[in-house]
Amino acid sequence: MATVTETHPTPITKPNIGVFTDPEHKLWVSESGPTLESIQKGGELKEGEVTVGIKSTGICGSDIHFWHAGRIGPMVVTDNHILGHESAGIILAAHPSVTHLKVGDRVAIEPDLICGECEPCLTGRYNGCLKMRFLSTPPVDGLLRRYINHPAMWCHKIGDMSYENGALLEPLSVALAGVERAGVSLGDPVLICGAGPIGLITLLCVAAAGAEPIVITDIDESRLKFAKELIPRARTYKVERGVGMEDAGKQIIDLAGGVQPAIAMECTGVESSVNAAIYSVKFGGKVFVIGVGKPDMNLPFMRLSTQEIDLQFQYRYANTWPRAIRLVESGVVNMQQLVTHRFDLEDAVKAFETAADPKTGAIKVQIQSEVDV
Protein backbone atom coordinates (compact mmCIF):
# COMPACT_ATOMS: atom_id res chain seq x y z
CA MET A 1 0.00 0.00 0.00
CA ALA A 2 1.19 3.52 -0.79
CA THR A 3 2.31 5.59 2.20
CA VAL A 4 2.29 9.02 0.52
CA THR A 5 -0.79 10.94 -0.56
CA GLU A 6 -1.28 10.63 -4.32
CA THR A 7 -1.77 14.02 -5.99
CA HIS A 8 -2.57 15.13 -9.52
CA PRO A 9 0.50 15.68 -11.75
CA THR A 10 -0.93 18.90 -13.16
CA PRO A 11 -0.15 21.86 -10.87
CA ILE A 12 -3.24 23.17 -9.05
CA THR A 13 -3.09 26.98 -9.15
CA LYS A 14 -6.61 28.36 -8.81
CA PRO A 15 -7.65 29.49 -5.31
CA ASN A 16 -10.55 27.80 -3.55
CA ILE A 17 -13.71 29.89 -3.54
CA GLY A 18 -17.22 29.09 -2.31
CA VAL A 19 -20.78 30.40 -2.42
CA PHE A 20 -21.94 31.74 0.94
CA THR A 21 -25.12 32.95 2.59
CA ASP A 22 -25.69 34.22 6.14
CA PRO A 23 -28.49 35.00 8.63
CA GLU A 24 -29.02 38.38 6.93
CA HIS A 25 -29.80 36.57 3.63
CA LYS A 26 -26.78 37.93 1.83
CA LEU A 27 -25.27 35.86 -0.98
CA TRP A 28 -21.67 36.15 -2.13
CA VAL A 29 -18.63 34.35 -3.54
CA SER A 30 -15.50 34.38 -1.41
CA GLU A 31 -12.37 32.50 -0.41
CA SER A 32 -13.10 29.09 1.07
CA GLY A 33 -11.42 26.07 2.62
CA PRO A 34 -9.60 23.83 2.13
CA THR A 35 -6.89 26.31 1.13
CA LEU A 36 -5.01 26.17 -2.15
CA GLU A 37 -1.77 25.53 -0.23
CA SER A 38 -3.22 22.50 1.54
CA ILE A 39 -4.60 21.16 -1.76
CA GLN A 40 -1.19 21.53 -3.40
CA LYS A 41 0.58 19.69 -0.57
CA GLY A 42 -2.12 17.05 -0.09
CA GLY A 43 -1.01 16.64 3.52
CA GLU A 44 -4.28 17.49 5.29
CA LEU A 45 -6.28 14.52 4.01
CA LYS A 46 -7.53 12.23 6.77
CA GLU A 47 -7.66 8.46 6.48
CA GLY A 48 -10.25 7.45 3.89
CA GLU A 49 -10.49 10.90 2.31
CA VAL A 50 -9.97 12.29 -1.18
CA THR A 51 -9.75 15.79 -2.58
CA VAL A 52 -12.30 16.48 -5.30
CA GLY A 53 -12.11 19.31 -7.80
CA ILE A 54 -15.78 20.24 -8.21
CA LYS A 55 -16.76 20.62 -11.86
CA SER A 56 -20.57 20.96 -11.78
CA THR A 57 -23.06 21.71 -9.01
CA GLY A 58 -26.81 22.06 -9.32
CA ILE A 59 -28.82 24.63 -7.37
CA CYS A 60 -31.51 22.93 -5.29
CA GLY A 61 -34.69 24.53 -4.00
CA SER A 62 -33.35 24.02 -0.48
CA ASP A 63 -30.31 26.17 -1.34
CA ILE A 64 -32.62 29.01 -2.36
CA HIS A 65 -34.71 28.47 0.78
CA PHE A 66 -31.67 28.69 3.07
CA TRP A 67 -30.68 31.90 1.25
CA HIS A 68 -34.11 33.56 1.26
CA ALA A 69 -35.68 32.21 4.47
CA GLY A 70 -32.55 31.34 6.43
CA ARG A 71 -34.01 28.05 7.57
CA ILE A 72 -35.92 24.90 6.71
CA GLY A 73 -37.80 23.75 9.80
CA PRO A 74 -35.28 23.25 12.63
CA MET A 75 -32.28 23.68 10.29
CA VAL A 76 -31.24 27.31 10.68
CA VAL A 77 -28.47 29.42 9.10
CA THR A 78 -26.70 30.97 12.10
CA ASP A 79 -23.38 32.01 10.56
CA ASN A 80 -21.63 32.31 7.19
CA HIS A 81 -22.67 29.16 5.39
CA ILE A 82 -21.63 27.46 2.11
CA LEU A 83 -24.50 26.13 -0.01
CA GLY A 84 -24.80 23.25 -2.51
CA HIS A 85 -25.11 19.46 -2.37
CA GLU A 86 -25.56 18.33 -6.01
CA SER A 87 -22.00 17.96 -7.29
CA ALA A 88 -19.64 15.98 -9.48
CA GLY A 89 -15.94 16.42 -10.12
CA ILE A 90 -12.50 14.89 -10.49
CA ILE A 91 -10.21 13.28 -7.88
CA LEU A 92 -7.18 15.54 -7.33
CA ALA A 93 -5.62 13.69 -4.39
CA ALA A 94 -6.18 10.50 -2.41
CA HIS A 95 -5.03 9.47 1.06
CA PRO A 96 -2.84 6.33 0.98
CA SER A 97 -5.63 4.37 2.71
CA VAL A 98 -7.96 4.87 -0.29
CA THR A 99 -7.64 1.96 -2.74
CA HIS A 100 -10.81 2.04 -4.87
CA LEU A 101 -10.31 5.56 -6.24
CA LYS A 102 -7.31 7.12 -7.94
CA VAL A 103 -6.29 10.58 -9.06
CA GLY A 104 -8.09 11.48 -12.28
CA ASP A 105 -11.26 9.47 -11.56
CA ARG A 106 -14.51 11.27 -12.28
CA VAL A 107 -16.95 11.02 -9.37
CA ALA A 108 -20.34 12.13 -8.14
CA ILE A 109 -20.42 13.15 -4.49
CA GLU A 110 -23.02 11.76 -2.11
CA PRO A 111 -23.27 14.54 0.49
CA ASP A 112 -23.71 12.39 3.59
CA LEU A 113 -21.50 12.18 6.66
CA ILE A 114 -22.91 9.44 8.89
CA CYS A 115 -21.88 7.80 12.17
CA GLY A 116 -22.21 4.19 10.95
CA GLU A 117 -23.13 3.10 14.46
CA CYS A 118 -26.80 3.95 15.13
CA GLU A 119 -29.76 1.72 14.25
CA PRO A 120 -30.67 3.50 10.97
CA CYS A 121 -27.06 3.21 9.80
CA LEU A 122 -26.72 -0.42 10.84
CA THR A 123 -30.01 -1.38 9.16
CA GLY A 124 -29.12 0.29 5.86
CA ARG A 125 -31.38 3.33 6.26
CA TYR A 126 -28.53 5.75 6.86
CA ASN A 127 -30.60 8.73 5.70
CA GLY A 128 -32.03 8.57 9.23
CA CYS A 129 -28.61 8.58 10.92
CA LEU A 130 -29.02 10.03 14.40
CA LYS A 131 -25.78 11.99 13.98
CA MET A 132 -26.19 12.85 10.29
CA ARG A 133 -24.12 15.72 8.95
CA PHE A 134 -25.53 16.53 5.51
CA LEU A 135 -23.45 18.90 3.42
CA SER A 136 -25.22 22.26 2.84
CA THR A 137 -27.59 21.76 5.78
CA PRO A 138 -26.57 24.16 8.57
CA PRO A 139 -24.18 24.08 10.30
CA VAL A 140 -22.40 21.78 7.80
CA ASP A 141 -20.95 23.66 4.80
CA GLY A 142 -21.90 22.48 1.33
CA LEU A 143 -20.24 21.62 -1.96
CA LEU A 144 -20.50 24.90 -3.86
CA ARG A 145 -16.78 25.56 -3.96
CA ARG A 146 -13.83 24.70 -6.19
CA TYR A 147 -12.28 21.99 -4.00
CA ILE A 148 -13.47 19.81 -1.14
CA ASN A 149 -12.05 16.99 0.97
CA HIS A 150 -14.63 14.21 1.30
CA PRO A 151 -14.79 10.57 2.44
CA ALA A 152 -13.93 8.35 -0.52
CA MET A 153 -16.77 5.96 0.37
CA TRP A 154 -19.24 8.68 -0.62
CA CYS A 155 -17.56 9.45 -3.95
CA HIS A 156 -19.11 7.32 -6.68
CA LYS A 157 -17.19 6.68 -9.89
CA ILE A 158 -19.08 7.85 -13.00
CA GLY A 159 -16.68 6.78 -15.76
CA ASP A 160 -17.03 9.01 -18.79
CA MET A 161 -20.45 10.36 -17.76
CA SER A 162 -20.64 14.15 -18.10
CA TYR A 163 -20.16 16.19 -14.95
CA GLU A 164 -23.60 17.71 -15.55
CA ASN A 165 -25.23 14.29 -15.41
CA GLY A 166 -23.04 13.40 -12.45
CA ALA A 167 -24.41 16.39 -10.54
CA LEU A 168 -27.98 15.36 -11.46
CA LEU A 169 -27.49 11.99 -9.73
CA GLU A 170 -28.38 13.63 -6.41
CA PRO A 171 -31.91 14.75 -7.37
CA LEU A 172 -32.30 11.48 -9.28
CA SER A 173 -31.53 9.69 -6.02
CA VAL A 174 -34.38 11.59 -4.35
CA ALA A 175 -36.79 10.46 -7.06
CA LEU A 176 -35.50 6.87 -7.06
CA ALA A 177 -35.93 6.57 -3.30
CA GLY A 178 -39.50 7.80 -3.64
CA VAL A 179 -40.46 5.53 -6.53
CA GLU A 180 -38.99 2.50 -4.77
CA ARG A 181 -40.64 3.14 -1.41
CA ALA A 182 -43.96 4.08 -3.01
CA GLY A 183 -43.93 0.77 -4.88
CA VAL A 184 -44.70 2.01 -8.40
CA SER A 185 -45.25 -0.98 -10.73
CA LEU A 186 -45.99 -1.62 -14.41
CA GLY A 187 -49.42 -0.30 -15.33
CA ASP A 188 -49.99 1.65 -12.11
CA PRO A 189 -51.96 4.88 -12.61
CA VAL A 190 -49.77 7.57 -11.03
CA LEU A 191 -50.25 11.22 -10.17
CA ILE A 192 -47.23 13.52 -9.81
CA CYS A 193 -47.83 16.81 -8.01
CA GLY A 194 -45.36 19.49 -9.04
CA ALA A 195 -43.31 19.90 -12.21
CA GLY A 196 -40.17 21.32 -10.64
CA PRO A 197 -36.87 19.45 -10.99
CA ILE A 198 -37.81 16.70 -8.51
CA GLY A 199 -41.27 16.31 -10.02
CA LEU A 200 -39.86 16.12 -13.54
CA ILE A 201 -37.22 13.56 -12.57
CA THR A 202 -39.93 11.59 -10.76
CA LEU A 203 -41.90 11.74 -14.01
CA LEU A 204 -38.95 10.23 -15.88
CA CYS A 205 -38.67 7.48 -13.26
CA VAL A 206 -42.33 6.47 -13.11
CA ALA A 207 -42.47 6.46 -16.91
CA ALA A 208 -39.42 4.18 -16.98
CA ALA A 209 -41.16 1.98 -14.37
CA GLY A 210 -44.14 1.56 -16.72
CA ALA A 211 -46.77 3.65 -14.93
CA GLU A 212 -49.89 4.42 -17.02
CA PRO A 213 -51.72 6.72 -17.10
CA ILE A 214 -49.50 9.44 -15.67
CA VAL A 215 -50.89 12.84 -14.66
CA ILE A 216 -48.59 15.67 -13.60
CA THR A 217 -49.77 18.94 -12.04
CA ASP A 218 -48.32 22.42 -11.61
CA ILE A 219 -49.37 26.06 -11.35
CA ASP A 220 -47.01 27.02 -14.20
CA GLU A 221 -48.10 26.27 -17.76
CA SER A 222 -44.54 26.45 -19.10
CA ARG A 223 -43.39 23.73 -16.70
CA LEU A 224 -46.27 21.52 -17.75
CA LYS A 225 -45.27 22.06 -21.37
CA PHE A 226 -41.73 21.05 -20.44
CA ALA A 227 -43.08 17.90 -18.75
CA LYS A 228 -45.00 17.01 -21.91
CA GLU A 229 -41.83 17.39 -23.97
CA LEU A 230 -40.00 15.05 -21.59
CA ILE A 231 -42.73 12.37 -21.55
CA PRO A 232 -45.24 12.96 -24.36
CA ARG A 233 -47.76 10.45 -22.96
CA ALA A 234 -47.97 12.32 -19.65
CA ARG A 235 -51.25 14.18 -19.07
CA THR A 236 -50.87 17.68 -17.64
CA TYR A 237 -53.15 19.44 -15.16
CA LYS A 238 -52.81 23.16 -14.48
CA VAL A 239 -53.66 24.02 -10.90
CA GLU A 240 -55.99 27.02 -10.87
CA ARG A 241 -56.53 29.33 -7.95
CA GLY A 242 -59.92 29.01 -6.29
CA VAL A 243 -60.48 25.36 -7.24
CA GLY A 244 -61.16 23.33 -4.09
CA MET A 245 -59.24 20.20 -3.25
CA GLU A 246 -62.21 17.89 -3.86
CA ASP A 247 -62.94 19.45 -7.25
CA ALA A 248 -59.25 19.29 -8.16
CA GLY A 249 -59.23 15.60 -7.25
CA LYS A 250 -62.23 14.93 -9.50
CA GLN A 251 -60.69 16.86 -12.40
CA ILE A 252 -57.46 14.87 -12.09
CA ILE A 253 -59.44 11.62 -12.22
CA ASP A 254 -61.33 12.85 -15.30
CA LEU A 255 -58.04 13.75 -17.00
CA ALA A 256 -56.83 10.20 -16.36
CA GLY A 257 -59.84 8.86 -18.26
CA GLY A 258 -61.81 8.12 -15.12
CA VAL A 259 -58.99 6.06 -13.61
CA GLN A 260 -58.15 6.95 -10.02
CA PRO A 261 -54.42 7.07 -9.29
CA ALA A 262 -53.13 4.16 -7.25
CA ILE A 263 -50.20 6.30 -6.13
CA ALA A 264 -49.68 10.04 -5.90
CA MET A 265 -46.07 11.25 -5.80
CA GLU A 266 -46.38 14.62 -4.06
CA CYS A 267 -43.33 16.74 -4.91
CA THR A 268 -44.40 20.20 -3.70
CA GLY A 269 -45.03 19.93 0.03
CA VAL A 270 -47.85 22.46 -0.41
CA GLU A 271 -50.91 21.75 1.75
CA SER A 272 -53.49 22.28 -0.99
CA SER A 273 -51.56 20.00 -3.34
CA VAL A 274 -51.22 17.24 -0.74
CA ASN A 275 -54.96 17.45 -0.09
CA ALA A 276 -55.87 17.35 -3.79
CA ALA A 277 -53.73 14.22 -4.08
CA ILE A 278 -55.61 12.67 -1.15
CA TYR A 279 -58.92 13.34 -2.90
CA SER A 280 -57.72 11.86 -6.17
CA VAL A 281 -56.27 8.48 -5.18
CA LYS A 282 -58.37 5.32 -5.06
CA PHE A 283 -59.55 3.32 -2.06
CA GLY A 284 -56.45 1.71 -0.58
CA GLY A 285 -54.21 4.04 -2.58
CA LYS A 286 -51.12 5.89 -1.42
CA VAL A 287 -50.03 9.51 -1.24
CA PHE A 288 -46.25 9.57 -1.07
CA VAL A 289 -44.86 12.96 -0.03
CA ILE A 290 -41.39 13.86 -1.27
CA GLY A 291 -41.86 17.63 -1.08
CA VAL A 292 -40.87 19.69 1.96
CA GLY A 293 -43.66 21.80 3.45
CA LYS A 294 -44.53 23.97 6.42
CA PRO A 295 -44.22 22.50 9.94
CA ASP A 296 -47.99 21.99 10.40
CA MET A 297 -50.77 21.15 7.92
CA ASN A 298 -54.53 20.58 7.93
CA LEU A 299 -55.36 17.27 6.22
CA PRO A 300 -58.71 15.61 5.36
CA PHE A 301 -58.49 12.98 8.08
CA MET A 302 -61.80 11.24 7.35
CA ARG A 303 -61.04 10.98 3.63
CA LEU A 304 -57.77 9.23 4.53
CA SER A 305 -59.56 7.04 7.06
CA THR A 306 -62.66 5.96 5.13
CA GLN A 307 -60.68 5.33 1.94
CA GLU A 308 -57.81 3.53 3.72
CA ILE A 309 -55.32 5.82 2.02
CA ASP A 310 -51.70 5.47 3.11
CA LEU A 311 -49.91 8.77 3.68
CA GLN A 312 -46.17 8.17 3.51
CA PHE A 313 -43.16 10.47 3.67
CA GLN A 314 -39.55 10.58 2.51
CA TYR A 315 -36.39 12.08 3.92
CA ARG A 316 -33.54 12.16 1.40
CA TYR A 317 -32.29 8.74 0.23
CA ALA A 318 -30.11 5.72 0.98
CA ASN A 319 -28.33 3.21 -1.28
CA THR A 320 -29.57 4.83 -4.49
CA TRP A 321 -26.42 6.09 -6.20
CA PRO A 322 -25.21 2.88 -7.88
CA ARG A 323 -28.69 2.37 -9.39
CA ALA A 324 -28.88 6.01 -10.43
CA ILE A 325 -25.53 5.69 -12.23
CA ARG A 326 -26.67 2.56 -14.09
CA LEU A 327 -29.90 4.22 -15.18
CA VAL A 328 -28.11 7.25 -16.61
CA GLU A 329 -25.28 5.28 -18.22
CA SER A 330 -27.77 2.99 -19.97
CA GLY A 331 -30.03 5.81 -21.11
CA VAL A 332 -33.04 4.41 -19.25
CA VAL A 333 -33.33 7.83 -17.59
CA ASN A 334 -32.24 10.81 -19.70
CA MET A 335 -31.98 14.07 -17.76
CA GLN A 336 -29.98 16.16 -20.23
CA GLN A 337 -32.89 18.49 -21.05
CA LEU A 338 -33.28 19.50 -17.41
CA VAL A 339 -30.20 21.75 -17.28
CA THR A 340 -31.49 25.00 -18.77
CA HIS A 341 -28.92 27.48 -17.44
CA ARG A 342 -25.18 27.28 -16.76
CA PHE A 343 -22.93 29.75 -14.92
CA ASP A 344 -19.29 29.95 -13.88
CA LEU A 345 -18.56 29.65 -10.16
CA GLU A 346 -17.50 33.30 -10.08
CA ASP A 347 -21.01 34.23 -11.34
CA ALA A 348 -22.85 32.17 -8.72
CA VAL A 349 -24.91 35.10 -7.42
CA LYS A 350 -26.40 35.58 -10.88
CA ALA A 351 -27.00 31.83 -11.07
CA PHE A 352 -29.00 31.90 -7.83
CA GLU A 353 -30.99 34.94 -8.97
CA THR A 354 -31.85 33.08 -12.17
CA ALA A 355 -32.88 29.91 -10.32
CA ALA A 356 -35.06 31.88 -7.89
CA ASP A 357 -36.92 33.90 -10.54
CA PRO A 358 -39.86 32.04 -12.15
CA LYS A 359 -39.78 34.47 -15.08
CA THR A 360 -36.47 33.04 -16.31
CA GLY A 361 -38.03 29.68 -17.13
CA ALA A 362 -35.16 27.92 -15.37
CA ILE A 363 -35.60 24.24 -14.57
CA LYS A 364 -32.18 23.23 -13.29
CA VAL A 365 -29.41 25.80 -12.98
CA GLN A 366 -25.87 24.44 -12.70
CA ILE A 367 -22.71 26.20 -11.59
CA GLN A 368 -19.50 25.04 -13.25
CA SER A 369 -15.91 25.48 -12.14
CA GLU A 370 -12.48 25.32 -13.71
CA VAL A 371 -9.96 23.44 -11.57
CA ASP A 372 -6.85 23.33 -13.84
CA VAL A 373 -7.44 19.69 -14.85
Side-chain angles (χ1 to χ4, degrees):
M1 178 185 291
T3 57
V4 178
T5 297
E6 182 188 12
T7 57
H8 203 282
T10 302
I12 306 300
T13 61
K14 295 180 181 295
N16 199 6
I17 55 175
V19 183
F20 292 80
T21 190
D22 66 8
E24 297 181 358
H25 314 296
K26 296 175 183 175
L27 187 73
W28 72 97
V29 178
S30 184
E31 197 170 311
S32 171
T35 65
L36 174 60
E37 183 180 10
S38 71
I39 297 295
Q40 290 171 332
K41 292 181 178 178
E44 293 188 7
L45 285 177
K46 300 174 184 176
E47 184 174 351
E49 282 190 339
V50 292
T51 299
V52 184
I54 304 295
K55 289 284 196 173
S56 290
T57 301
I59 297 177
C60 177
S62 65
D63 294 319
I64 294 171
H65 212 73
F66 282 129
W67 166 35
H68 281 173
R71 68 184 302 158
I72 296 176
M75 299 166 283
V76 182
V77 176
T78 59
D79 203 343
N80 292 353
H81 179 65
I82 301 175
L83 298 165
H85 57 265
E86 305 176 4
S87 296
I90 185 170
I91 301 293
L92 298 179
H95 188 274
S97 59
V98 176
T99 58
H100 72 287
L101 292 175
K102 64 182 185 302
V103 168
D105 283 345
R106 300 157 73 98
V107 296
I109 301 172
E110 186 169 353
D112 308 291
L113 297 171
I114 65 172
C115 73
E117 298 174 348
C118 65
E119 181 178 340
C121 285
L122 294 175
T123 56
R125 299 185 67 183
Y126 58 80
N127 53 314
C129 174
L130 301 180
K131 298 179 181 179
M132 170 68 79
R133 299 175 67 238
F134 190 88
L135 275 66
S136 83
T137 296
V140 185
D141 282 332
L143 293 171
L144 256 173
R145 37 188 150 167
R146 182 166 280 133
Y147 316 113
I148 185 169
N149 295 334
H150 197 66
M153 68 178 291
W154 300 119
C155 294
H156 302 274
K157 285 196 278 191
I158 59 173
D160 60 359
M161 183 187 300
S162 71
Y163 293 116
E164 281 194 2
N165 273 338
L168 286 168
L169 292 172
E170 199 279 341
L172 175 56
S173 284
V174 173
L176 278 181
V179 170
E180 179 184 21
R181 291 187 59 227
V184 177
S185 299
L186 276 166
D188 279 344
V190 172
L191 167 67
I192 299 168
C193 300
I198 295 297
L200 292 169
I201 296 175
T202 299
L203 171 63
L204 290 169
C205 289
V206 302
E212 179 61 28
I214 304 169
V215 177
I216 185 167
T217 73
D218 204 273
I219 59 173
D220 188 329
E221 189 66 53
S222 65
R223 291 208 163 187
L224 292 174
K225 182 181 177 183
F226 193 93
K228 192 76 173 175
E229 292 170 357
L230 273 183
I231 303 294
R233 64 183 173 89
R235 310 176 191 200
T236 59
Y237 175 82
K238 187 173 187 297
V239 177
E240 300 287 357
R241 296 186 184 279
V243 177
M245 55 190 177
E246 293 185 55
D247 288 337
K250 290 176 182 176
Q251 291 170 8
I252 289 166
I253 294 166
D254 289 342
L255 184 60
V259 178
Q260 286 186 273
I263 299 169
M265 305 296 294
E266 212 300 314
C267 301
T268 72
V270 175
E271 181 179 306
S272 59
S273 180
V274 173
N275 288 340
I278 291 170
Y279 274 100
S280 71
V281 298
K282 70 178 185 178
F283 183 91
K286 178 182 290 187
V287 175
F288 191 93
V289 183
I290 298 175
V292 177
K294 59 185 182 180
D296 300 294
M297 285 190 188
N298 292 314
L299 300 172
F301 176 86
M302 287 309 297
R303 168 72 182 183
L304 290 163
S305 175
T306 60
Q307 296 299 300
E308 292 191 0
I309 295 168
D310 292 337
L311 184 58
Q312 193 173 351
F313 297 87
Q314 174 178 334
Y315 190 57
R316 298 177 181 148
Y317 40 72
N319 306 304
T320 52
W321 292 70
R323 284 191 297 138
I325 290 168
R326 291 194 297 270
L327 288 169
V328 174
E329 284 179 333
S330 65
V332 172
V333 173
N334 185 344
M335 301 182 291
Q336 289 180 333
Q337 289 177 256
L338 296 176
V339 181
T340 54
H341 295 73
R342 300 163 180 85
F343 293 87
D344 292 335
L345 181 57
E346 291 81 358
D347 297 325
V349 172
K350 186 175 180 181
F352 269 78
E353 291 170 348
T354 301
D357 184 357
K359 296 177 183 177
T360 64
I363 300 294
K364 177 58 71 175
V365 176
Q366 284 199 357
I367 294 173
Q368 299 169 337
S369 175
E370 292 296 327
V371 293
D372 293 310
V373 296

